[in-house]
Amino acid sequence: MTEARSEVSLGMPQLPAPAYPAEVRARLEADAKEVIARYPGSRSALLPLLHLVQSEEGFVSRTGMAFCAELLGLTTAEVTAVATFYTMYRRKPSGDYQVGVCTNTLCAVMGGDAIFDRLKEHLGVGNDETTEDGKVTLEHIECNAACDFAPVVMVNWEFFDNQTPESATRLVDDLIAGRTVEPTRGAPLCSYKDTARILAGFPDERPGAVAATGGAGPASLIGLKLAKGEATPQPRVVSPRGEAPRDAAPRDEPQKGAEHLSSHDAPQETSASDPDNPAGPTAEEGE
């Protein structure tokens, strides 16, 4: 592979990044070559390689970026530009569990801000900070396309839907205590480093790990109802099937025919069928 080109920033030469130990370097290089071989152009392997080095240290270090640059024939500036653009790449050591609370529009309205504030107080950390025991890193995250189940918390990018401050507090306590935690849906939870290796494109070799843990439960139409003034925000929590919710008020009964995994699939009133908002020609078209 071509050696990474040297760079000068603001007229000052950059100090070389420390190197990986020989045995670590040999293992990562073998994995990296396997990743690079999947692409017609080696540059296209940068994103998975960043996940690969993140799986080694739990974040993308200067050593990791120099490694990627060297193997791909890029400058460290080019690698840094990518590593700092995507929020899934950590730039400093983080916890075994990356706990992200969605504070985007619907999750915030439904209680995401309250969950985030409670967890900051409970864990004694701020945004993008890690607990003293190195177990949990807390951050607020942008929309993860799960608005049907707001408010949403993610742990190492696995979904925990319909959370409340109380359920989220129990969740982080279980993580810190080492108790088994199951996401609402998707694959079983694993450590942040293991997650990074899977995102680099390597198979999850845990027995039964490919089996999903189940669906997310009935979809919420609360966003539609809020928009039409038919409901007020109220945090909810999904409980295991067959059990009553532990600390949430009863959910709205699902509409007939709306038992779908996504509210996008559920029958909804549109402007064509809503007598209060009929669809018709514009003023210009009617003239």
Side-chain angles (χ1 to χ4, degrees):
M1 293 289 173
T2 355
E3 246 180 66
R5 300 189 291 277
S6 60
E7 304 152 54
V8 175
S9 174
L10 299 178
M12 297 295 293
Q14 301 298 296
L15 295 174
Y20 285 122
E23 65 280 5
V24 174
R25 163 81 190 211
R27 173 167 44 79
L28 286 177
E29 190 166 338
D31 287 340
K33 288 178 178 178
E34 180 181 335
V35 172
I36 293 169
R38 301 170 187 163
Y39 298 90
S42 62
R43 188 188 186 105
S44 300
L46 178 54
L47 295 181
L49 282 197
L50 286 170
H51 283 299
L52 176 64
V53 297
Q54 184 158 258
S55 74
E56 183 63 32
E57 300 179 82
F59 70 110
V60 178
S61 64
R62 289 180 61 235
T63 301
M65 288 189 285
F67 172 83
C68 293
E70 178 184 343
L71 264 67
L72 298 176
L74 303 172
T75 65
T76 53
E78 289 172 314
V79 175
T80 303
V82 174
T84 55
F85 181 82
Y86 294 102
T87 58
M88 289 179 75
Y89 298 123
R90 302 288 302 165
R91 295 299 313 284
K92 60 184 180 181
S94 58
D96 296 332
Y97 299 102
Q98 189 84 12
V99 176
V101 182
C102 181
T103 54
N104 217 321
T105 310
L106 187 56
C107 279
V109 168
M110 293 300 296
D113 286 334
I115 292 173
F116 188 58
D117 290 342
R118 174 73 67 84
L119 291 183
K120 285 195 296 183
E121 179 183 359
H122 183 70
L123 296 171
V125 298
N127 181 50
D128 200 26
E129 293 181 356
T130 303
T131 54
E132 290 184 3
D133 59 9
K135 292 286 187 181
V136 170
T137 297
L138 179 67
E139 67 172 351
H140 69 80
I141 54 178
E142 296 299 323
C143 182
N144 277 269
C147 304
D148 295 1
F149 309 105
V152 173
V153 173
M154 299 193 83
V155 180
N156 295 349
W157 309 113
E158 299 294 347
F159 287 100
F160 291 80
D161 301 314
N162 294 276
Q163 293 293 296
T164 66
E166 292 73 25
S167 66
T169 301
R170 286 196 301 271
L171 170 61
V172 296
D173 284 347
D174 287 343
L175 293 173
I176 291 171
R179 290 187 284 267
T180 300
V181 171
E182 291 188 356
T184 312
R185 51 199 160 108
L189 196 63
C190 59
S191 73
Y192 189 63
K193 289 183 179 180
D194 289 337
T195 300
R197 183 170 177 81
I198 294 167
L199 291 173
F202 293 94
D204 187 344
E205 297 175 349
R206 294 174 297 160
V210 293
T213 57
S220 167
L221 299 181
I222 192 67
L224 178 64
K225 293 179 180 179
L226 285 171
K228 298 175 70 173
E230 297 175 357
T232 53
Q234 176 178 296
R236 305 174 313 284
V237 59
V238 166
S239 56
R241 289 186 177 90
E243 294 183 20
R246 290 171 292 185
D247 45 37
R251 298 186 59 157
D252 295 334
E253 289 297 324
Q255 298 177 8
K256 185 178 180 182
E259 296 81 3
H260 295 266
L261 290 180
S262 169
S263 62
H264 300 292
D265 300 323
Q268 300 177 28
E269 289 185 340
T270 65
S271 58
S273 59
D274 185 350
D276 294 330
N277 299 280
T282 63
E284 292 78 5
E285 291 172 336
E287 291 175 356

